[in-house]
Amino acid sequence: MFILSTIQDLIQIKPQDFGKPSAQAIKDAINTKYSNKVVPGVGLCVALWDLLSATEGLIGHGTGLVNINAEFRLAVFRPFRGEIIYGRIKSSNPEGIVIDLDFTSEIFVPYQNLFENSRFEKSENVWVWNSDGTELFLDKGEPVLFRVEQEEWIDQRPTIEQRNEEGEVVDERGTAWRVIGSMNQAGLGPTLWWEEQGEEEDEGEDGDAMEE
C-alpha cells in the first residue's frame, strides 16, 4: 500500500526558517511542499521518509529565499492492483461509494463493482445488497474491505478563477488522482457481514457435534 519514492527537486528555504538547523529547515520545506499532495505518476505523498543529500544554499536574487537542490525519499500511498485494503464508508450516491482511509478519501467504488442485486436507497442515501432475500446495508461509517482495481490520473489544467455570489473563490477542479475499488467478492464489503456469517457457521458445527 505504501512505497518509498526517491525524488530530486529544488527546495526553497524561507528567511523565517534561517534560525533552524539546516537539515531541519530543508526537511520542513520538503514536507510543506509534498505532504498530502498528489504527484503525477508517483502517487499521494504522505510525508518525508529521509533526506539523502542537499547542495549548498544559494540566495535567490530579489527574493531572499535560499535555493537548495535536494534528493530525498517520500512515503507514498500507491496501492497495487488486487490489494485488499481496510477502510470506512464515507458517503454514498447513485454512482457508487466513497471510502475513507483516515489520511485520504480518494477511494471510489462504482456501483458496477458492488455485489449483484445491489440498489441505491435514495431516502437514506445508502446502498443495499439483496442477498438471497436478506437486505444488507452498506451504512455510512461501516468498516469495509475493498479490492484495488485501478487508479485514475486526471489532468489538472489551469482554470479560470470562479467566485460564488458571496465573492468567495470556488475551486471547481476535481481530484488529480483516485483509486477505483470493488466490493463484489466473498469477504469484501462491510466486515460485519462476514463476521456474522462465520459465527453462524461455527454455531451450526457445534450443533452437529452435539447431535453426534
Side-chain angles (χ1 to χ4, degrees), residues 132-210:
D132 297 327
T134 301
E135 291 192 335
L136 302 175
F137 290 74
L138 291 90
D139 293 315
K140 180 179 179 179
E142 195 75 32
V144 296
L145 290 173
F146 67 92
R147 181 179 187 271
V148 176
E149 298 298 337
Q150 66 183 78
E151 56 184 352
E152 289 185 346
W153 297 94
I154 299 94
D155 183 18
Q156 291 288 311
R157 298 182 179 180
T159 57
I160 299 176
E161 187 177 272
Q162 302 289 333
R163 294 181 178 273
N164 58 22
E165 295 179 355
E166 288 73 30
E168 300 171 332
V169 176
V170 178
D171 186 3
E172 296 186 346
R173 291 184 301 175
T175 178
W177 167 85
R178 69 176 179 175
V179 173
I180 302 300
S182 66
M183 294 192 296
N184 55 6
Q185 298 179 18
L188 300 183
T191 55
L192 183 62
W193 292 355
W194 309 106
E195 290 173 359
E196 291 178 346
Q197 181 175 328
E199 292 173 358
E200 291 175 358
E201 291 177 352
D202 291 341
E203 292 175 358
E205 291 175 358
D206 292 341
D208 292 341
M210 291 178 63

Side-chain angles (χ1 to χ4, degrees), residues 77-94:
F77 175 63
R78 184 82 182 271
F80 59 85
R81 184 176 182 182
E83 185 174 2
I84 305 299
I85 299 178
Y86 174 91
R88 290 181 180 274
I89 295 177
K90 180 179 181 179
S91 62
S92 299
N93 58 53

Side-chain angles (χ1 to χ4, degrees), residues 32-47:
T32 299
K33 185 174 182 178
Y34 282 95
S35 292
N36 202 32
K37 303 292 195 310
V38 172
V39 177
V42 176
L44 174 62
C45 300
V46 179

